[in-house]
Amino acid sequence: VQCKRRYRLFISQCPPKNKIVYTFSDIISTVEFNCSGELLATGDKGGRVVIFQREQESKNRLLSRGEYNVYSTFQSHEPEFDYLKSLEIEEKINKIRWLPQQNAAHFLLSANDKTIKLWKISERDKRAEGYNLKDEDGRLRDQFRITTLRVPVLMPMDLMVEASPRRIFANAHTYHINSISVNSDYETYLSADDLRINLWHLEITDRSFNIVDIKPANMEELTEVITAAECHPHQCNVFVYSSSKGTIRLCDMRAAALCDRHSKFFEEPEDPSSRSFFSEIISSISDVKFSHSGRYMMTRDYLSVKVWDLNMENRPVETYQVHEYLRSKLCSLYENDCIFDKFECCWNGSDSAIMTGSYNNFFRMFDRNTRRDITLEASRENSKPRAMLKPRKVCTGGKRKKDEISVDSLDFNKKILHTAWHPKENVIAVAATNNLYIFQDKIN
Amino acid sequence: MFSKGTKRKFSDGGEEISDESLLGARVASSYSLQRQSLLDMSLIKLQLCHMLVEPNLCRSVLIANTVRQIQEEMTHDGSWHMVTEAFCSAGQSPSERLVATEVLCRSREQDAEPKLFSVISYEGCCEEEVVADETLCSVSVSDTVSNVCLAGRMGQCWEKSELSGIERDEEALEDSRLGSGEEEEIDTEDGASTESPKTIGQVFGTFEIKNGSPGPDSALEELFSDVDTSYYDLDTMLTGMQSAPKMGPYDLLDSLAPSHSSPSIVSTPNCRSDLNELDHIMEIIVGS
């Protein structure tokens, strides 16, 4: 346990400046750009947060198009032991969400299964010198020696980035937290576990409001859980949550204190011809994300990504197949538990493209306008300098073409669950197990 | 695969009529074999859930729903009837079995201490009735009323006999292991009872997991042995704990421990966790 927690980061920079790979000592469990895209936060299974900062582009180094370098690392959560339940609480970071920047410091929320913490990341590049009461090395001066009074002077020092926990929001979740989302009012945020959603005020840690509770009176009647939740990007009274049955509920907090009754209910009618025993499992939504415009939302289920218009509840407006070739393999994927993998999805800054991960370190991008899609691989092998990533293709049957890979050769241990897209530019971060890839994407 | 209606290619020509019926029979039996193996796999997964330190609730719910679906379909097909007959001892009428399990349910309820534990086991066995009724109502059986009634009875018959089957198995196991007449139904997670699949309700009912091997923790257990467990919220109990059921002799737990391979949380160095826990509590109190 001790050496798991001692953090080792290996930095390896591949020759192409458009691709950077960071290798972590733990599996990466979440990736998130901040609102400006200047910072990229990652959380891992060991409870650590690593923040990368984009270099300022300088005229001298033309080739450096703003690389991301390590900015700060800190231990966010520690493993805990709940004595009442005799249960160990994992320190794995499930989600990180940035707060919009309001001053020189940066704030983010990080959550493990049970506790959310607000961290302040601040820079210190000056140090006060010339104290009256203490020496340069901090020792208290002998009072008799103080003969003059002076004003301390701020002197420059090496940049130091400090992370300090400012709030700890604990003891509000009986089940495992799967989502946190900062509200557009910048004062509140919500946290969701399997059965409940709580609303917090960023300043208040000793209580939260429960706004959704789907726990049945009798646990044996439980057939549906909450899988993800998010606040609307502009309307601070609106949020959505998705379920394991493939439904999304949009709630308005103005309607009632307890939002058990939804305002809108999104569900696509099932296709009876493709019904199987796995239909429900693959319909379970693993991620839900509002578009930046706030007009659409995107959901990820096991085989597809769907874009919904908030004004239309009965079906999505767009459906993208991520890896349809897996449909005939559902039984094996059920056996090895891969069918329960929770893939995330993300929008690009202009909402014109969406991205999500798959197996074999593949990730997929869909252009909503042209309806083109591409499959790329996050691997160290394609390392030609500044070359575009070669698109990959999976062949489903029949003859396999030269560069194609067959479904049966896919490595299901190499899964890309977490991806993030820069809010303004074509820069993407892809987490492949314990490797973080940052690509300067050339697709416009 | 396992989706309904998949047919294998039948390239042989032969006589049409008999081949078709043969093909139909073959496809049907292959489908029900596959369905059975899916059911077995699901039940094993559910049992394994109980061995984990922190069972994933979403995964458990999805697997349980899958099992329920298979049960529904098998009941609809009438193949549940055959499954139940496999479990029932010959010559016992359905009503007798019903009575037997009623009695068991009732005795659970009276065992009030600790309230927590009896709630699980009570609901664990009697709740099945409710589940069966609901699912059968939702299954689209044929129009005639009599068929519906028959299906209803069959389902209940399975649920109840299933239960009694499990009771008998568990008692037998306990007897062989302990040599003591332990009355209470302990939802065990031992793999030995896989041939009598657990019922759905017991999935979430058995989220109260048994303690790991006492070992260095025996001092800790003694410390908490007088804690009133009825104080605990049903919530906390049902989120997949490894908590020692405070009733029953400790040697019962001892003998159960080797039956499952749950990662022993005892291995966590308690001192450091103690300090972390204390720090954490202090932070909350101080409100820093």
Side-chain angles (χ1 to χ4, degrees):
Chain A
V1 170
Q2 195 51 283
C3 51
K4 184 177 90 166
R5 286 208 238 133
R6 203 179 329 129
Y7 178 75
R8 288 191 318 261
L9 170 67
F10 300 99
I11 300 177
S12 78
Q13 250 176 335
C14 294
K17 291 304 183 191
N18 66 340
K19 180 172 81 170
I20 290 178
V21 186
Y22 289 99
T23 302
F24 288 58
S25 53
D26 257 316
I27 296 173
I28 302 167
S29 50
T30 184
V31 187
E32 186 81 359
F33 280 99
N34 78 334
C35 307
S36 63
E38 182 209 350
L39 299 176
L40 174 67
T42 59
D44 69 15
K45 208 161 163 253
R48 293 200 68 91
V49 171
V50 180
I51 301 177
F52 300 85
Q53 185 189 41
R54 198 173 195 190
E55 263 182 32
Q56 297 296 332
E57 291 185 28
S58 67
K59 289 178 200 152
N60 298 339
R61 302 177 58 198
L62 284 169
L63 294 179
S64 136
R65 294 192 39 217
E67 289 170 13
Y68 283 83
N69 297 315
V70 179
Y71 177 65
S72 169
T73 73
F74 55 92
Q75 184 79 34
S76 171
H77 287 72
E78 299 272 356
E80 287 174 28
F81 192 73
D82 185 333
Y83 290 108
L84 288 180
K85 303 172 195 171
S86 289
L87 180 75
E88 185 165 292
I89 299 169
E90 267 197 301
E91 67 274 32
K92 172 168 77 89
I93 308 292
N94 292 333
K95 280 284 167 7
I96 289 176
R97 289 288 182 265
W98 290 92
L99 265 58
Q101 191 176 9
Q102 289 173 317
N103 52 34
H106 299 276
F107 289 88
L108 61 79
L109 289 168
S110 71
N112 72 344
D113 282 339
K114 299 285 182 180
T115 305
I116 304 134
K117 295 188 183 181
L118 176 69
W119 287 88
K120 176 180 178 185
I121 297 104
S122 48
E123 291 183 5
R124 189 195 292 233
D125 60 356
K126 293 181 182 55
R127 188 180 56 210
E129 282 180 21
Y131 281 100
N132 291 295
L133 296 176
K134 56 181 181 181
D135 281 340
E136 295 310 317
D137 44 8
R139 277 182 307 190
L140 288 175
R141 288 169 90 191
D142 197 13
Q143 288 204 349
F144 296 108
R145 298 199 178 211
I146 303 173
T147 53
T148 60
L149 197 62
R150 57 186 175 169
V151 176
V153 183
L154 289 176
M155 304 293 291
M157 58 178 257
D158 288 339
L159 178 66
M160 199 166 75
V161 181
E162 298 173 321
S164 58
R166 304 306 279 178
R167 304 271 185 277
I168 296 178
F169 305 91
N171 302 319
H173 285 282
T174 308
Y175 303 95
H176 293 174
I177 296 174
N178 54 52
S179 315
I180 50 175
S181 180
V182 182
N183 207 344
S184 53
D185 61 11
Y186 301 161
E187 282 188 351
T188 57
Y189 74 95
L190 62 76
S191 60
D193 65 30
D194 292 317
L195 297 179
R196 298 191 177 101
I197 302 180
N198 294 331
L199 184 71
W200 301 83
H201 192 284
L202 285 165
E203 300 290 329
I204 299 170
T205 59
D206 61 355
R207 71 195 100 111
S208 68
F209 288 104
N210 176 242
I211 52 178
V212 173
D213 188 341
I214 65 167
K215 179 171 180 285
N218 190 344
M219 276 297 272
E220 269 102 12
E221 288 164 14
L222 180 67
T223 56
E224 191 174 12
V225 298
I226 297 171
T227 51
E230 200 182 39
C231 291
H232 192 278
H234 310 308
Q235 296 169 31
C236 58
N237 53 298
V238 172
F239 67 94
V240 292
Y241 67 94
S242 60
S243 83
S244 57
K245 286 198 169 171
T247 65
I248 308 103
R249 288 170 176 81
L250 184 144
C251 299
D252 188 332
M253 289 191 267
R254 296 171 302 189
L258 188 62
C259 299
D260 273 356
R261 299 179 63 171
H262 52 261
S263 300
K264 295 196 186 193
F265 182 76
F266 298 84
E267 186 179 27
E268 183 170 27
E270 196 187 7
D271 176 11
S273 64
S274 64
R275 172 139 189 89
S276 76
F277 287 121
F278 304 108
S279 295
E280 185 181 314
I281 300 179
I282 61 169
S283 75
S284 172
I285 291 172
S286 49
D287 194 17
V288 65
K289 292 264 169 51
F290 277 106
S291 65
H292 292 93
S293 63
R295 189 179 154 196
Y296 298 97
M297 68 177 174
M298 163 168 59
T299 57
R300 174 71 156 98
D301 51 73
Y302 191 62
L303 296 179
S304 67
V305 179
K306 295 178 181 169
V307 176
W308 302 78
D309 185 324
L310 293 186
N311 298 316
M312 188 160 76
E313 299 168 53
N314 58 358
R315 60 178 175 82
V317 290
E318 295 154 32
T319 302
Y320 301 94
Q321 301 300 336
V322 180
H323 37 217
E324 182 68 12
Y325 46 79
L326 295 182
R327 193 179 287 271
S328 57
K329 307 282 177 190
L330 289 179
C331 190
S332 319
L333 294 165
Y334 179 71
E335 197 174 1
N336 63 16
D337 270 2
C338 282
I339 208 174
F340 301 107
D341 286 336
K342 293 189 189 303
F343 291 94
E344 291 174 10
C345 53
C346 59
W347 298 86
N348 73 340
S350 59
D351 297 338
S352 63
I354 57 184
M355 171 169 63
T356 189
S358 177
Y359 293 104
N360 209 72
N361 279 350
F362 287 167
F363 59 100
R364 302 265 280 141
M365 293 162 97
F366 302 92
D367 185 323
R368 295 177 64 213
N369 299 324
T370 64
R371 294 304 179 123
R372 283 183 330 172
D373 63 84
I374 189 168
T375 305
L376 299 168
E377 184 179 357
S379 109
R380 293 165 172 278
E381 275 81 52
N382 27 339
S383 53
K384 285 219 178 70
R386 297 219 259 129
M388 279 202 36
L389 289 172
K390 199 171 60 174
R392 303 304 307 266
K393 207 158 150 55
V394 179
C395 96
T396 50
K399 292 179 79 169
R400 185 174 74 88
K401 299 197 188 103
K402 196 183 76 158
D403 279 333
E404 287 182 355
I405 181 166
S406 82
V407 185
D408 299 310
S409 341
L410 293 175
D411 187 346
F412 290 95
N413 292 319
K414 294 188 184 168
K415 49 192 92 172
I416 290 180
L417 304 174
H418 313 286
T419 58
W421 208 314
H422 190 290
K424 299 187 175 76
E425 298 182 28
N426 279 331
V427 180
I428 58 174
V430 173
T433 320
N434 63 335
N435 287 312
L436 178 73
Y437 291 80
I438 303 174
F439 296 108
Q440 311 270 24
D441 184 47
K442 290 191 169 64
I443 296 178
N444 273 331
Chain B
M1 265 288 133
F2 280 13
S3 48
K4 235 180 152 164
T6 43
K7 287 182 187 279
R8 290 176 298 171
K9 284 195 186 145
F10 191 65
S11 50
D12 190 31
E15 299 155 22
E16 301 250 327
I17 299 170
S18 58
D19 283 345
E20 269 178 26
S21 59
L22 187 67
L23 168 67
R26 227 191 270 172
V27 168
S29 68
S30 148
Y31 172 74
S32 58
L33 270 174
Q34 289 177 344
R35 182 176 63 184
Q36 182 63 46
S37 101
L38 179 63
L39 177 64
D40 294 338
M41 200 198 309
S42 306
L43 291 166
I44 290 171
K45 280 183 186 296
L46 282 177
Q47 287 189 330
L48 285 175
C49 272
H50 301 167
M51 299 183 193
L52 295 175
V53 178
E54 296 176 58
N56 184 331
L57 190 62
C58 180
R59 180 176 171 271
S60 307
V61 167
L62 289 172
I63 298 172
N65 289 351
T66 308
V67 171
R68 206 177 270 127
Q69 271 182 59
I70 298 174
Q71 280 180 13
E72 273 178 35
E73 194 181 276
M74 288 176 89
T75 310
H76 183 38
D77 282 354
S79 30
W80 242 173
H81 191 60
M82 292 186 257
V83 171
T84 66
E85 295 210 331
F87 289 123
C88 300
S89 50
Q92 213 179 354
S93 73
S95 54
E96 277 174 7
R97 282 194 292 275
L98 257 161
V99 168
T101 50
E102 271 304 328
V103 166
L104 284 165
C105 286
R106 253 185 285 127
S107 67
R108 291 293 156 278
E109 167 103 300
Q110 276 155 18
D111 267 342
E113 281 307 309
K115 169 191 166 228
L116 163 81
F117 196 71
S118 69
V119 165
I120 293 176
S121 47
Y122 174 72
E123 284 174 336
C125 59
C126 285
E127 192 50 34
E128 292 329 291
E129 206 173 349
V130 179
V131 171
D133 283 341
E134 278 183 58
T135 56
L136 287 167
C137 287
S138 62
V139 167
S140 55
V141 293
S142 66
D143 297 348
T144 61
V145 175
S146 57
N147 275 359
V148 173
C149 293
L150 198 67
R153 258 209 300 284
M154 258 203 289
Q156 278 184 354
C157 160
W158 175 78
E159 299 291 358
K160 293 298 178 195
S161 64
E162 203 39 65
L163 231 38
S164 62
I166 293 173
E167 308 296 354
R168 275 197 294 277
D169 280 347
E170 286 174 343
E171 279 173 28
L173 284 163
E174 285 168 18
D175 283 342
S176 62
R177 239 188 270 116
L178 308 168
S180 65
E182 197 58 46
E183 280 280 7
E184 292 85 11
E185 173 204 343
I186 304 217
D187 288 340
T188 62
E189 63 273 15
D190 53 77
S193 57
T194 43
E195 68 275 1
S196 50
K198 282 202 189 313
T199 47
I200 301 284
Q202 287 178 353
V203 169
F204 304 112
T206 52
F207 262 48
E208 188 211 28
I209 300 175
K210 315 304 159 281
N211 195 17
S213 54
D217 246 4
S218 57
L220 198 66
E221 279 174 26
E222 272 156 24
L223 198 65
F224 288 103
S225 61
D226 58 346
V227 172
D228 180 18
T229 55
S230 61
Y231 167 82
Y232 299 149
D233 190 16
L234 201 64
D235 277 2
T236 63
M237 176 271 300
L238 284 173
T239 52
M241 323 308 140
Q242 285 212 10
S243 61
K246 297 298 184 283
M247 63 185 288
Y250 276 89
D251 54 2
L252 168 65
L253 300 173
D254 276 334
S255 53
L256 278 178
S259 72
H260 60 82
S261 55
S262 64
S264 176
I265 53 170
V266 170
S267 60
T268 311
N270 287 318
C271 296
R272 191 169 47 240
S273 306
D274 272 339
L275 280 170
N276 287 340
E277 184 73 5
L278 210 57
D279 279 348
H280 187 55
I281 292 170
M282 287 308 295
E283 274 174 26
I284 294 168
I285 293 171
V286 168
S288 59

